[in-house]
Amino acid sequence: MAEIAHAERAHALLSASSAHRWLDCTPSARLEETLPDTTSDAAKEGTVAHEIAELKLRRALVEPISTRSFNAQLKKLKDKELFDEEMLQYTDTYVEYIQGVVHAFPSPPYIAVERRVDYSSYAPEGFGTADCIVIGSKQLHINDFKYGKGVQVSAVDNPQMKLYALGALKAYSLLYEIETVHLAIIQPRISGQASEWSISAADLLAWGESIKPKALQAFKGEGEYVVGSHCGFCRAKEICRARVEHLLAAGSRAPMKPPLIGWDEVGEVLKKAEGIVSWYNGLKKLALAEVLKGGNVSGWKAVAGRGSRDYADLDAAFKFLQEKGIDEAVLFNRQPLTPPALEEALGKKQYKELLEKPGHVISRSGAPTLAPADDARPAFSDQVKPEDVFSGPVGS
Ligand code: SF4
């Protein structure tokens, strides 16, 4: 098996994963290119999980790997700094999903794992790596494993997945007749259910044609800066002038008359100010880094944060306290694990058998949270009164 090198995967300027951004804000790709690319721990963790997923998938469906060789390769991955035991379980979910797709075909389909796809006919110099491609019976499946647990990514009309599919169509349409394209995102840390979406090959090709002018603009770095939810992972998100102006314009309606703003205005202000808190905190972090490396951020300085206390030698300190007659119950806080923590400790299967099935766990829905009207979740029913949720008298 070829050396797995997810971390070294090359990225196109018009990468598929940032397509939702450069299709809406065409100059963003060139602007991001001027800023440092900092890889977060979450991204590094995702890389390890992908490497495990690839190894397992190859062994399950593509090439026979002896148990010895498999274990040796897995051990190497387990030795990586960001490896976590739960990766084994989540990568199993991914592999089981792909096995389900493969076994649903009447005869063995073609399978490609970690296949580089070229969609440069639609977006200049565009290429990417599809996690798993399955083709058979005039069907093309593009499967993407996502290890993030922050935001659930939907496969519906997803431009990243559509670009991979366009690349796969280009690579395989001479060999295979393809009528329908199925896109699936498997994000097991958020949901056991994959997000799936299908489109005809003809419609996909038409979409590919439709994005060509925007892709060309993006490649040249031309067009308007457009602020939206796509800014979330943009490298420029803290210091992009368009976004800063947009966020600060949230207060431009003040002063408002009458003195109290109405609910219509509340809705408008909430919408305009969306993202302002995380942007502000991100900008502060960036400014602190600048000051700490000797830069000047007008009107700001770095100061020591709140201190903390720690034991010089925990074992020695506790031994001493016990010798002095301090009871263990005072020294240790014994707490039962929460159901999610216990699920992690026991594994999904044992958790289900020992806790869920006998009815030892009850599920409660979370407290209501405010969401935009177009949020995919159904509106919260009014059967629960606000006073049942927010305990304590207002103003007390
Ligand atoms: S932060 Fe938003 S508006 Fe600014 S370049 Fe990035 S995507 Fe475009």
Side-chain angles (χ1 to χ4, degrees):
M1 179 186 145
E3 177 78 11
I4 307 165
H6 289 249
E8 288 84 48
R9 272 182 179 184
H11 290 288
L13 174 82
L14 300 188
S15 74
S17 58
S18 63
H20 66 292
R21 193 154 55 244
W22 54 256
L23 281 170
D24 273 330
C25 175
T26 50
S28 62
R30 287 288 175 199
L31 185 66
E32 281 196 87
E33 204 185 20
T34 64
L35 297 167
D37 181 10
T38 48
T39 310
S40 66
D41 273 356
K44 287 185 201 153
E45 191 186 38
T47 299
V48 180
H50 266 84
E51 287 169 338
I52 296 172
E54 178 184 356
L55 175 65
K56 286 184 177 178
L57 198 56
R58 282 192 189 281
R59 186 197 198 204
L61 296 169
V62 183
E63 56 197 75
I65 304 174
S66 69
T67 305
R68 198 171 157 183
S69 163
F70 174 81
N71 287 341
Q73 291 182 59
L74 188 60
K75 187 180 174 307
K76 259 193 187 173
L77 297 173
K78 282 180 166 182
D79 287 343
K80 294 206 171 186
E81 194 196 336
L82 289 170
F83 169 78
D84 190 291
E85 279 295 320
E86 65 176 7
M87 282 179 188
L88 299 175
Q89 183 192 323
Y90 290 130
T91 48
D92 274 350
T93 308
Y94 166 67
V95 173
E96 280 160 21
Y97 178 85
I98 306 289
Q99 283 175 316
V101 169
V102 168
H103 294 142
F105 281 88
S107 55
Y110 167 81
I111 304 165
V113 177
E114 290 297 316
R115 171 69 205 239
R116 182 169 159 139
V117 286
D118 178 331
Y119 51 84
S120 58
S121 327
Y122 302 94
E125 297 180 9
F127 66 89
T129 307
D131 289 338
C132 179
I133 296 173
V134 181
I135 308 173
S137 309
K138 301 185 183 175
Q139 314 289 308
L140 162 68
H141 288 256
I142 304 287
N143 303 292
D144 195 46
F145 176 53
K146 293 211 185 291
Y147 200 63
K149 63 173 180 181
V151 182
Q152 185 159 16
V153 185
S154 167
V156 178
D157 216 12
N158 183 306
Q160 175 185 14
M161 302 294 285
K162 289 197 285 186
L163 286 172
Y164 288 158
L166 283 172
L169 275 183
K170 188 181 165 209
Y172 296 109
S173 53
L174 279 181
L175 294 170
Y176 300 94
E177 191 184 344
I178 296 166
E179 283 180 356
T180 312
V181 176
H182 305 278
L183 310 177
I185 293 178
I186 304 99
Q187 200 172 1
R189 288 172 97 192
I190 293 191
S191 169
Q193 291 284 315
S195 171
E196 299 169 331
W197 191 67
S198 300
I199 182 172
S200 72
D203 286 349
L204 180 69
L205 290 167
W207 177 78
E209 289 302 320
S210 76
I211 64 161
K212 280 182 175 177
K214 283 232 163 185
L216 189 61
Q217 254 192 326
F219 189 71
K220 291 180 179 166
E222 294 172 352
E224 295 286 315
Y225 288 95
V226 177
V227 179
S229 56
H230 52 264
C231 297
F233 288 99
C234 180
R235 256 182 250 167
K237 69 177 190 289
E238 279 93 9
I239 47 174
C240 164
R241 186 172 300 280
R243 186 161 184 256
V244 172
E245 284 176 359
H246 173 89
L247 288 166
L248 295 182
S252 65
R253 292 224 21 195
M256 291 170 180
K257 291 175 189 174
L260 297 180
I261 61 171
W263 291 114
D264 269 1
E265 288 162 306
V266 168
E268 195 186 328
V269 170
L270 283 175
K271 212 164 206 124
K272 280 188 169 180
E274 191 129 54
I276 205 161
V277 176
S278 63
W279 162 74
Y280 185 79
N281 290 334
L283 189 62
K284 266 181 117 174
K285 223 167 126 183
L286 213 64
L288 175 63
E290 179 63 18
V291 172
L292 288 178
K293 68 175 193 219
N296 179 33
V297 177
S298 177
W300 292 82
K301 64 180 178 185
V303 294
R306 199 174 153 189
S308 64
R309 285 179 283 181
D310 210 348
Y311 299 106
D313 182 335
L314 177 74
D315 292 340
F318 273 48
K319 191 168 168 252
F320 179 74
L321 289 169
Q322 279 173 313
E323 282 166 7
K324 291 286 173 197
I326 307 293
D327 200 81
E328 244 188 60
V330 176
L331 301 177
F332 296 96
N333 190 4
R334 192 162 164 257
Q335 274 189 333
L337 289 185
T338 60
L342 209 45
E343 184 179 25
E344 213 175 304
L346 296 176
K348 272 194 187 322
K349 204 171 154 217
Q350 212 179 9
Y351 170 82
K352 233 181 204 154
E353 267 161 29
L354 298 179
L355 285 154
E356 257 180 23
K357 274 193 194 156
H360 291 307
V361 176
I362 46 167
S363 298
R364 291 193 194 92
S365 52
T369 176
L370 196 65
D374 58 0
D375 188 281
R377 291 166 289 182
F380 192 80
S381 99
D382 60 1
Q383 286 161 355
V384 178
K385 298 187 206 94
E387 55 266 35
D388 295 336
V389 176
F390 305 106
S391 54
V394 175
S396 65

PDB file of all heavy atoms in Angstrom, residues 57 60-61 92-106 109 111 132 134 141 143 186 196:
ATOM      1  N   LEU A  57     -10.496   1.080   5.222  1.00  0.00           N
ATOM      2  CA  LEU A  57     -11.311   0.940   4.016  1.00  0.00           C
ATOM      3  C   LEU A  57     -10.582   0.138   2.936  1.00  0.00           C
ATOM      4  O   LEU A  57     -11.154  -0.728   2.287  1.00  0.00           O
ATOM      5  CB  LEU A  57     -11.662   2.337   3.487  1.00  0.00           C
ATOM      6  CG  LEU A  57     -12.835   2.415   2.523  1.00  0.00           C
ATOM      7  CD1 LEU A  57     -14.086   1.822   3.142  1.00  0.00           C
ATOM      8  CD2 LEU A  57     -13.089   3.861   2.120  1.00  0.00           C
ATOM      9  N   ALA A  60     -10.730  -3.414   3.931  1.00  0.00           N
ATOM     10  CA  ALA A  60     -12.063  -4.019   3.858  1.00  0.00           C
ATOM     11  C   ALA A  60     -12.534  -4.214   2.424  1.00  0.00           C
ATOM     12  O   ALA A  60     -13.215  -5.180   2.118  1.00  0.00           O
ATOM     13  CB  ALA A  60     -13.061  -3.141   4.618  1.00  0.00           C
ATOM     14  N   LEU A  61     -12.143  -3.286   1.534  1.00  0.00           N
ATOM     15  CA  LEU A  61     -12.775  -3.325   0.218  1.00  0.00           C
ATOM     16  C   LEU A  61     -11.853  -3.311  -0.993  1.00  0.00           C
ATOM     17  O   LEU A  61     -12.287  -3.618  -2.101  1.00  0.00           O
ATOM     18  CB  LEU A  61     -13.738  -2.123   0.081  1.00  0.00           C
ATOM     19  CG  LEU A  61     -14.936  -2.106   1.028  1.00  0.00           C
ATOM     20  CD1 LEU A  61     -15.628  -0.767   0.983  1.00  0.00           C
ATOM     21  CD2 LEU A  61     -15.916  -3.209   0.668  1.00  0.00           C
ATOM     22  N   ASP A  92     -14.839   3.089  12.103  1.00  0.00           N
ATOM     23  CA  ASP A  92     -15.638   1.886  11.814  1.00  0.00           C
ATOM     24  C   ASP A  92     -16.990   2.297  11.224  1.00  0.00           C
ATOM     25  O   ASP A  92     -17.477   1.686  10.283  1.00  0.00           O
ATOM     26  CB  ASP A  92     -15.892   1.087  13.106  1.00  0.00           C
ATOM     27  CG  ASP A  92     -14.758   0.132  13.409  1.00  0.00           C
ATOM     28  OD1 ASP A  92     -13.888  -0.045  12.531  1.00  0.00           O
ATOM     29  OD2 ASP A  92     -14.721  -0.430  14.522  1.00  0.00           O
ATOM     30  N   THR A  93     -17.595   3.335  11.800  1.00  0.00           N
ATOM     31  CA  THR A  93     -18.906   3.805  11.308  1.00  0.00           C
ATOM     32  C   THR A  93     -18.798   4.194   9.837  1.00  0.00           C
ATOM     33  O   THR A  93     -19.659   3.864   9.023  1.00  0.00           O
ATOM     34  CB  THR A  93     -19.379   5.033  12.141  1.00  0.00           C
ATOM     35  OG1 THR A  93     -19.312   4.698  13.507  1.00  0.00           O
ATOM     36  CG2 THR A  93     -20.772   5.475  11.757  1.00  0.00           C
ATOM     37  N   TYR A  94     -17.700   4.880   9.514  1.00  0.00           N
ATOM     38  CA  TYR A  94     -17.481   5.305   8.123  1.00  0.00           C
ATOM     39  C   TYR A  94     -17.322   4.092   7.210  1.00  0.00           C
ATOM     40  O   TYR A  94     -17.975   3.985   6.171  1.00  0.00           O
ATOM     41  CB  TYR A  94     -16.239   6.197   8.075  1.00  0.00           C
ATOM     42  CG  TYR A  94     -15.673   6.461   6.702  1.00  0.00           C
ATOM     43  CD1 TYR A  94     -16.376   7.217   5.770  1.00  0.00           C
ATOM     44  CD2 TYR A  94     -14.417   5.961   6.338  1.00  0.00           C
ATOM     45  CE1 TYR A  94     -15.844   7.458   4.515  1.00  0.00           C
ATOM     46  CE2 TYR A  94     -13.879   6.205   5.092  1.00  0.00           C
ATOM     47  CZ  TYR A  94     -14.593   6.960   4.184  1.00  0.00           C
ATOM     48  OH  TYR A  94     -14.079   7.201   2.942  1.00  0.00           O
ATOM     49  N   VAL A  95     -16.482   3.156   7.632  1.00  0.00           N
ATOM     50  CA  VAL A  95     -16.227   1.970   6.802  1.00  0.00           C
ATOM     51  C   VAL A  95     -17.516   1.155   6.635  1.00  0.00           C
ATOM     52  O   VAL A  95     -17.835   0.695   5.534  1.00  0.00           O
ATOM     53  CB  VAL A  95     -15.084   1.115   7.414  1.00  0.00           C
ATOM     54  CG1 VAL A  95     -14.921  -0.188   6.660  1.00  0.00           C
ATOM     55  CG2 VAL A  95     -13.776   1.898   7.388  1.00  0.00           C
ATOM     56  N   GLU A  96     -18.290   1.036   7.707  1.00  0.00           N
ATOM     57  CA  GLU A  96     -19.554   0.286   7.609  1.00  0.00           C
ATOM     58  C   GLU A  96     -20.510   0.958   6.621  1.00  0.00           C
ATOM     59  O   GLU A  96     -21.216   0.292   5.874  1.00  0.00           O
ATOM     60  CB  GLU A  96     -20.228   0.204   8.988  1.00  0.00           C
ATOM     61  CG  GLU A  96     -19.621  -0.886   9.860  1.00  0.00           C
ATOM     62  CD  GLU A  96     -19.914  -0.674  11.347  1.00  0.00           C
ATOM     63  OE1 GLU A  96     -20.884   0.045  11.667  1.00  0.00           O
ATOM     64  OE2 GLU A  96     -19.144  -1.214  12.176  1.00  0.00           O
ATOM     65  N   TYR A  97     -20.514   2.280   6.615  1.00  0.00           N
ATOM     66  CA  TYR A  97     -21.388   2.988   5.670  1.00  0.00           C
ATOM     67  C   TYR A  97     -20.971   2.659   4.231  1.00  0.00           C
ATOM     68  O   TYR A  97     -21.807   2.321   3.391  1.00  0.00           O
ATOM     69  CB  TYR A  97     -21.320   4.515   5.903  1.00  0.00           C
ATOM     70  CG  TYR A  97     -22.174   5.263   4.900  1.00  0.00           C
ATOM     71  CD1 TYR A  97     -23.535   5.443   5.121  1.00  0.00           C
ATOM     72  CD2 TYR A  97     -21.625   5.741   3.706  1.00  0.00           C
ATOM     73  CE1 TYR A  97     -24.339   6.075   4.186  1.00  0.00           C
ATOM     74  CE2 TYR A  97     -22.417   6.375   2.765  1.00  0.00           C
ATOM     75  CZ  TYR A  97     -23.767   6.546   3.009  1.00  0.00           C
ATOM     76  OH  TYR A  97     -24.558   7.167   2.067  1.00  0.00           O
ATOM     77  N   ILE A  98     -19.684   2.738   3.955  1.00  0.00           N
ATOM     78  CA  ILE A  98     -19.203   2.470   2.585  1.00  0.00           C
ATOM     79  C   ILE A  98     -19.492   1.006   2.221  1.00  0.00           C
ATOM     80  O   ILE A  98     -19.906   0.712   1.092  1.00  0.00           O
ATOM     81  CB  ILE A  98     -17.682   2.745   2.449  1.00  0.00           C
ATOM     82  CG1 ILE A  98     -17.339   4.169   2.912  1.00  0.00           C
ATOM     83  CG2 ILE A  98     -17.214   2.498   1.017  1.00  0.00           C
ATOM     84  CD1 ILE A  98     -17.788   5.289   2.037  1.00  0.00           C
ATOM     85  N   GLN A  99     -19.315   0.113   3.182  1.00  0.00           N
ATOM     86  CA  GLN A  99     -19.614  -1.297   2.902  1.00  0.00           C
ATOM     87  C   GLN A  99     -21.092  -1.456   2.527  1.00  0.00           C
ATOM     88  O   GLN A  99     -21.424  -2.204   1.615  1.00  0.00           O
ATOM     89  CB  GLN A  99     -19.290  -2.164   4.126  1.00  0.00           C
ATOM     90  CG  GLN A  99     -17.787  -2.401   4.251  1.00  0.00           C
ATOM     91  CD  GLN A  99     -17.425  -3.161   5.522  1.00  0.00           C
ATOM     92  OE1 GLN A  99     -17.949  -2.843   6.596  1.00  0.00           O
ATOM     93  NE2 GLN A  99     -16.530  -4.112   5.413  1.00  0.00           N
ATOM     94  N   GLY A 100     -21.960  -0.711   3.212  1.00  0.00           N
ATOM     95  CA  GLY A 100     -23.396  -0.753   2.907  1.00  0.00           C
ATOM     96  C   GLY A 100     -23.656  -0.295   1.487  1.00  0.00           C
ATOM     97  O   GLY A 100     -24.441  -0.897   0.744  1.00  0.00           O
ATOM     98  N   VAL A 101     -22.972   0.770   1.070  1.00  0.00           N
ATOM     99  CA  VAL A 101     -23.131   1.294  -0.298  1.00  0.00           C
ATOM    100  C   VAL A 101     -22.673   0.234  -1.300  1.00  0.00           C
ATOM    101  O   VAL A 101     -23.366  -0.088  -2.269  1.00  0.00           O
ATOM    102  CB  VAL A 101     -22.292   2.593  -0.481  1.00  0.00           C
ATOM    103  CG1 VAL A 101     -22.227   3.015  -1.942  1.00  0.00           C
ATOM    104  CG2 VAL A 101     -22.873   3.726   0.361  1.00  0.00           C
ATOM    105  N   VAL A 102     -21.506  -0.325  -1.042  1.00  0.00           N
ATOM    106  CA  VAL A 102     -20.907  -1.296  -1.974  1.00  0.00           C
ATOM    107  C   VAL A 102     -21.767  -2.555  -2.086  1.00  0.00           C
ATOM    108  O   VAL A 102     -22.032  -3.042  -3.182  1.00  0.00           O
ATOM    109  CB  VAL A 102     -19.463  -1.639  -1.502  1.00  0.00           C
ATOM    110  CG1 VAL A 102     -18.906  -2.844  -2.235  1.00  0.00           C
ATOM    111  CG2 VAL A 102     -18.558  -0.431  -1.696  1.00  0.00           C
ATOM    112  N   HIS A 103     -22.241  -3.034  -0.944  1.00  0.00           N
ATOM    113  CA  HIS A 103     -22.990  -4.297  -0.962  1.00  0.00           C
ATOM    114  C   HIS A 103     -24.405  -4.140  -1.510  1.00  0.00           C
ATOM    115  O   HIS A 103     -25.075  -5.134  -1.773  1.00  0.00           O
ATOM    116  CB  HIS A 103     -22.998  -4.928   0.431  1.00  0.00           C
ATOM    117  CG  HIS A 103     -21.610  -5.341   0.849  1.00  0.00           C
ATOM    118  ND1 HIS A 103     -21.138  -5.215   2.134  1.00  0.00           N
ATOM    119  CD2 HIS A 103     -20.565  -5.835   0.124  1.00  0.00           C
ATOM    120  CE1 HIS A 103     -19.870  -5.624   2.172  1.00  0.00           C
ATOM    121  NE2 HIS A 103     -19.509  -5.996   0.966  1.00  0.00           N
ATOM    122  N   ALA A 104     -24.848  -2.906  -1.696  1.00  0.00           N
ATOM    123  CA  ALA A 104     -26.186  -2.704  -2.268  1.00  0.00           C
ATOM    124  C   ALA A 104     -26.172  -2.876  -3.793  1.00  0.00           C
ATOM    125  O   ALA A 104     -27.221  -2.953  -4.428  1.00  0.00           O
ATOM    126  CB  ALA A 104     -26.697  -1.311  -1.901  1.00  0.00           C
ATOM    127  N   PHE A 105     -24.989  -2.942  -4.378  1.00  0.00           N
ATOM    128  CA  PHE A 105     -24.906  -3.120  -5.839  1.00  0.00           C
ATOM    129  C   PHE A 105     -25.169  -4.582  -6.199  1.00  0.00           C
ATOM    130  O   PHE A 105     -24.718  -5.481  -5.479  1.00  0.00           O
ATOM    131  CB  PHE A 105     -23.504  -2.722  -6.347  1.00  0.00           C
ATOM    132  CG  PHE A 105     -23.323  -1.236  -6.487  1.00  0.00           C
ATOM    133  CD1 PHE A 105     -22.889  -0.472  -5.413  1.00  0.00           C
ATOM    134  CD2 PHE A 105     -23.601  -0.605  -7.697  1.00  0.00           C
ATOM    135  CE1 PHE A 105     -22.730   0.889  -5.534  1.00  0.00           C
ATOM    136  CE2 PHE A 105     -23.444   0.768  -7.813  1.00  0.00           C
ATOM    137  CZ  PHE A 105     -23.006   1.515  -6.744  1.00  0.00           C
ATOM    138  N   PRO A 106     -25.854  -4.818  -7.334  1.00  0.00           N
ATOM    139  CA  PRO A 106     -26.115  -6.213  -7.724  1.00  0.00           C
ATOM    140  C   PRO A 106     -24.829  -6.969  -8.081  1.00  0.00           C
ATOM    141  O   PRO A 106     -24.746  -8.171  -7.916  1.00  0.00           O
ATOM    142  CB  PRO A 106     -27.029  -6.072  -8.951  1.00  0.00           C
ATOM    143  CG  PRO A 106     -26.903  -4.655  -9.404  1.00  0.00           C
ATOM    144  CD  PRO A 106     -26.494  -3.841  -8.224  1.00  0.00           C
ATOM    145  N   PRO A 109     -19.031  -3.252  -7.500  1.00  0.00           N
ATOM    146  CA  PRO A 109     -18.754  -1.990  -8.196  1.00  0.00           C
ATOM    147  C   PRO A 109     -17.258  -1.677  -8.200  1.00  0.00           C
ATOM    148  O   PRO A 109     -16.474  -2.352  -7.527  1.00  0.00           O
ATOM    149  CB  PRO A 109     -19.499  -0.969  -7.335  1.00  0.00           C
ATOM    150  CG  PRO A 109     -19.450  -1.550  -5.953  1.00  0.00           C
ATOM    151  CD  PRO A 109     -19.452  -3.033  -6.103  1.00  0.00           C
ATOM    152  N   ILE A 111     -14.271   0.605  -6.981  1.00  0.00           N
ATOM    153  CA  ILE A 111     -14.064   1.403  -5.753  1.00  0.00           C
ATOM    154  C   ILE A 111     -12.704   2.087  -5.821  1.00  0.00           C
ATOM    155  O   ILE A 111     -11.694   1.444  -6.137  1.00  0.00           O
ATOM    156  CB  ILE A 111     -14.089   0.506  -4.489  1.00  0.00           C
ATOM    157  CG1 ILE A 111     -15.393  -0.291  -4.425  1.00  0.00           C
ATOM    158  CG2 ILE A 111     -13.936   1.341  -3.223  1.00  0.00           C
ATOM    159  CD1 ILE A 111     -15.343  -1.442  -3.429  1.00  0.00           C
ATOM    160  N   CYS A 132     -13.731   8.530  -1.011  1.00  0.00           N
ATOM    161  CA  CYS A 132     -14.084   7.213  -1.563  1.00  0.00           C
ATOM    162  C   CYS A 132     -15.088   7.372  -2.703  1.00  0.00           C
ATOM    163  O   CYS A 132     -16.123   8.017  -2.546  1.00  0.00           O
ATOM    164  CB  CYS A 132     -14.673   6.328  -0.475  1.00  0.00           C
ATOM    165  SG  CYS A 132     -15.157   4.718  -1.104  1.00  0.00           S
ATOM    166  N   VAL A 134     -17.371   5.230  -5.539  1.00  0.00           N
ATOM    167  CA  VAL A 134     -17.905   3.905  -5.872  1.00  0.00           C
ATOM    168  C   VAL A 134     -18.727   4.062  -7.154  1.00  0.00           C
ATOM    169  O   VAL A 134     -19.564   4.974  -7.249  1.00  0.00           O
ATOM    170  CB  VAL A 134     -18.804   3.362  -4.730  1.00  0.00           C
ATOM    171  CG1 VAL A 134     -19.330   1.972  -5.084  1.00  0.00           C
ATOM    172  CG2 VAL A 134     -18.043   3.315  -3.410  1.00  0.00           C
ATOM    173  N   HIS A 141     -21.069   7.183  -6.723  1.00  0.00           N
ATOM    174  CA  HIS A 141     -21.180   7.600  -5.318  1.00  0.00           C
ATOM    175  C   HIS A 141     -19.903   8.328  -4.914  1.00  0.00           C
ATOM    176  O   HIS A 141     -18.808   7.793  -5.080  1.00  0.00           O
ATOM    177  CB  HIS A 141     -21.336   6.378  -4.401  1.00  0.00           C
ATOM    178  CG  HIS A 141     -22.673   5.727  -4.514  1.00  0.00           C
ATOM    179  ND1 HIS A 141     -23.657   5.867  -3.559  1.00  0.00           N
ATOM    180  CD2 HIS A 141     -23.185   4.925  -5.472  1.00  0.00           C
ATOM    181  CE1 HIS A 141     -24.721   5.171  -3.922  1.00  0.00           C
ATOM    182  NE2 HIS A 141     -24.464   4.589  -5.074  1.00  0.00           N
ATOM    183  N   ASN A 143     -18.220   9.732  -1.580  1.00  0.00           N
ATOM    184  CA  ASN A 143     -18.384   9.669  -0.114  1.00  0.00           C
ATOM    185  C   ASN A 143     -17.277  10.460   0.567  1.00  0.00           C
ATOM    186  O   ASN A 143     -16.113  10.326   0.214  1.00  0.00           O
ATOM    187  CB  ASN A 143     -18.317   8.215   0.343  1.00  0.00           C
ATOM    188  CG  ASN A 143     -19.364   7.369  -0.362  1.00  0.00           C
ATOM    189  OD1 ASN A 143     -20.556   7.526  -0.134  1.00  0.00           O
ATOM    190  ND2 ASN A 143     -18.914   6.491  -1.256  1.00  0.00           N
ATOM    191  N   ILE A 186     -20.242  11.544   5.691  1.00  0.00           N
ATOM    192  CA  ILE A 186     -20.337  10.721   6.901  1.00  0.00           C
ATOM    193  C   ILE A 186     -19.570  11.483   7.979  1.00  0.00           C
ATOM    194  O   ILE A 186     -18.358  11.671   7.886  1.00  0.00           O
ATOM    195  CB  ILE A 186     -19.727   9.320   6.663  1.00  0.00           C
ATOM    196  CG1 ILE A 186     -20.411   8.657   5.458  1.00  0.00           C
ATOM    197  CG2 ILE A 186     -19.868   8.432   7.892  1.00  0.00           C
ATOM    198  CD1 ILE A 186     -19.677   8.735   4.178  1.00  0.00           C
ATOM    199  N   GLU A 196     -27.124  12.603   2.857  1.00  0.00           N
ATOM    200  CA  GLU A 196     -27.078  12.092   1.473  1.00  0.00           C
ATOM    201  C   GLU A 196     -27.875  12.993   0.543  1.00  0.00           C
ATOM    202  O   GLU A 196     -28.876  13.588   0.948  1.00  0.00           O
ATOM    203  CB  GLU A 196     -27.670  10.676   1.427  1.00  0.00           C
ATOM    204  CG  GLU A 196     -26.907   9.672   2.278  1.00  0.00           C
ATOM    205  CD  GLU A 196     -27.644   8.360   2.444  1.00  0.00           C
ATOM    206  OE1 GLU A 196     -28.894   8.369   2.417  1.00  0.00           O
ATOM    207  OE2 GLU A 196     -26.963   7.327   2.589  1.00  0.00           O
TER     208      GLU A 196
END
